[in-house]
Amino acid sequence: MKLSQVALQLYTLRDHCQTAADLAATLKRIRAMGYRAVELAGVGPIPAAELDNILAGEGLLCCATHEPAKELLNHPAAVVERLQKLRCQYTAYPFPQDVDFTCADAVRQLARSLDAAGAMLHAAGIQLCYHNHAIELARHGKSTILETIYAETNPENLQAELDTYWVQYGGANPAAWCEKLLGRLPLLHLKDYAFGLNNQPVMAEVGSGNIDFATVIAAAEKSGCKWFIVEQDVCPGDPFASVKQSFDYLQAHLVS
């Protein structure tokens, strides 16, 4: 993993990204930390062309986005137009909204919908990925829901944005999942898994929890990962301090 491949998911700093002025100030701080790219999610209603100008002005790339689930499935052409304005190749389906995961037919229908939308995006040079949470690690028979989603879609149409914390939370092995997604893993969310004294799991800065990131990143690289994206949905204090801590750990211990 090269330093130039380390990005930040802006959802972590969402409270500081709701206006154009606040976003520009936030991006300036991110770039000063050493980040060179961001993933757009949780940002306020700023037009794509203006977002692109703000990013360019602060010397940052848009490596990927999260788009609303219904927009991706029902209006993929609009997603293509937005990502072209952002000069961005990757987008992710963020959450299985309104999908009954207790029903195997509903899972297969979701896979068909993702495949169809992904085919339209792929034809325009944009790659659709699936961002998992823990719920996809539930099983239907011998397979997990996540395995079913990937088995029933064309790799050209749907690839992965694997989230290390949620895989661990779901009782699976993040490194093993990176290996399983050989050739299908352009995006990886780096989020550590710690455990609090209240006997509950905690989202943590990279390097401060229990995930073996050296093994995870090595496996992801073998599977062709392009972007290693720091994300922390919930931070213990100042989120800027948390994302700097994660970047500094990656720079000191895991970049080549």
Side-chain angles (χ1 to χ4, degrees):
M1 176 181 69
K2 295 180 172 58
L3 197 62
S4 60
Q5 293 176 281
V6 177
L8 176 66
Q9 164 60 286
L10 285 181
Y11 184 76
T12 310
L13 301 174
R14 57 196 176 277
D15 293 341
H16 305 274
C17 298
Q18 296 308 301
T19 68
D22 286 348
L23 176 63
T26 293
L27 294 179
K28 186 179 293 294
R29 293 179 69 178
I30 290 167
R31 186 65 186 90
M33 292 176 193
Y35 288 100
R36 302 180 191 181
V38 295
E39 181 176 31
L40 293 178
V43 174
I46 304 168
E50 186 175 0
L51 283 171
D52 182 61
N53 286 336
I54 295 170
L55 285 162
E58 301 304 332
L60 287 159
L61 299 174
C62 176
C63 68
T65 74
H66 278 194
E67 301 297 323
K70 290 182 179 179
E71 186 77 0
L72 279 164
L73 298 186
N74 299 331
H75 305 288
V79 173
V80 167
E81 183 179 358
R82 172 175 158 81
L83 265 73
Q84 287 175 339
K85 290 177 180 177
L86 292 167
R87 294 177 289 173
C88 180
Q89 182 182 356
Y90 297 103
T91 191
Y93 179 87
F95 187 76
Q97 190 176 38
D98 302 325
V99 179
D100 180 6
F101 272 6
T102 66
C103 174
D105 286 342
V107 173
R108 286 192 288 270
Q109 179 55 52
L110 173 63
R112 287 192 290 270
S113 297
L114 289 165
D115 197 67
M120 293 186 66
L121 268 63
H122 187 264
I126 293 168
Q127 182 62 63
L128 177 61
C129 301
Y130 189 93
H131 174 261
N132 67 282
H133 292 77
I135 190 171
E136 292 91 352
L137 278 303
R139 289 185 172 274
H140 282 167
K142 295 182 179 180
S143 298
T144 64
I145 292 168
L146 196 57
E147 287 170 322
T148 298
I149 288 171
Y150 288 125
E152 301 206 4
T153 51
N154 186 325
E156 284 191 348
N157 300 336
L158 187 71
Q159 298 199 351
E161 181 178 60
L162 196 72
D163 188 294
T164 56
Y165 174 89
W166 288 119
V167 171
Q168 184 86 10
Y169 186 98
N173 184 312
W177 260 100
C178 288
E179 293 173 358
K180 189 190 297 280
L181 291 164
L182 180 66
R184 206 170 181 176
L185 182 64
L187 310 176
L188 183 68
H189 271 186
L190 306 181
K191 182 190 310 176
D192 217 337
Y193 180 101
F195 221 76
L197 296 178
N198 61 353
N199 203 35
Q200 296 296 320
V202 178
M203 293 179 181
E205 294 80 8
V206 176
S208 65
N210 299 319
I211 294 178
D212 179 359
F213 277 105
T215 302
V216 169
I217 289 171
E221 287 185 305
K222 289 180 181 177
S223 287
C225 189
K226 305 296 185 186
W227 291 103
F228 299 83
I229 305 167
V230 171
E231 183 187 36
Q232 194 170 340
D233 308 34
V234 179
C235 301
D238 179 5
F240 286 96
S242 288
V243 299
K244 184 178 188 305
Q245 181 178 331
S246 290
F247 182 88
D248 289 349
Y249 179 86
L250 291 169
Q251 184 176 38
H253 299 285
L254 294 171
V255 298
S256 56

